[in-house]
Amino acid sequence: VQLQASGGGLVQAGGSRRLSCAASGRTFSSYVMGWFRQAPGKEREFVATISWNGRSTSYAGSVKGRFTISRDNAKNTVALQMNSLKPEDTAVYYCAADRNWGLRSDYSYWGQGTQVTVSS
């Protein structure tokens, strides 16, 4: 599966941003989807994941209650709605796909990343 993330940009602290990831192929619904981020000088970290049918989600503690992951299997897309953004949310955001649920790293497929910058 090939992944293309979009929606990044500059946003003020307290604002919102919606990221989207488009997937190629006809087996999108067989993949668990995840969002990760990497800030300058830091390791890539898990943000959120959603199960094959969208019924289960899981979030990193730092974004829980502010970010929402969702998917549309008919459109082969996964989204990350980010609210109440903080400067520490500044990072390159990546979408990823894997056939296994429960992973917080080592996904099999990765998109190219989209930059989100939150100004204070």
Side-chain angles (χ1 to χ4, degrees), residues 92-105:
V92 177
Y93 283 73
Y94 299 88
C95 62
D98 198 275
R99 292 191 182 274
N100 298 303
W101 171 252
L103 300 178
R104 293 206 166 192
S105 64

Side-chain angles (χ1 to χ4, degrees), residues 39-116:
K42 295 187 177 181
E43 293 187 353
R44 185 170 59 196
E45 65 174 357
F46 166 80
V47 174
T49 187
I50 188 165
S51 62
W52 309 268
N53 58 11
R55 292 177 181 174
S56 296
T57 58
S58 180
Y59 297 90
S62 58
V63 307
K64 196 169 187 178
R66 301 188 297 122
F67 291 12
T68 302
I69 188 171
S70 61
R71 69 188 295 161
D72 185 336
N73 285 345
K75 296 182 179 179
N76 283 13
T77 58
V78 60
L80 184 69
Q81 177 66 42
M82 305 184 294
N83 298 329
S84 302
L85 283 162
K86 304 175 182 179
E88 52 262 44
D89 294 318
T90 295
V92 177
Y93 283 73
Y94 299 88
C95 62
D98 198 275
R99 292 191 182 274
N100 298 303
W101 171 252
L103 300 178
R104 293 206 166 192
S105 64
D106 300 329
Y107 275 52
S108 297
Y109 304 95
W110 294 84
Q112 87 291 357
T114 186
Q115 175 73 47
V116 174

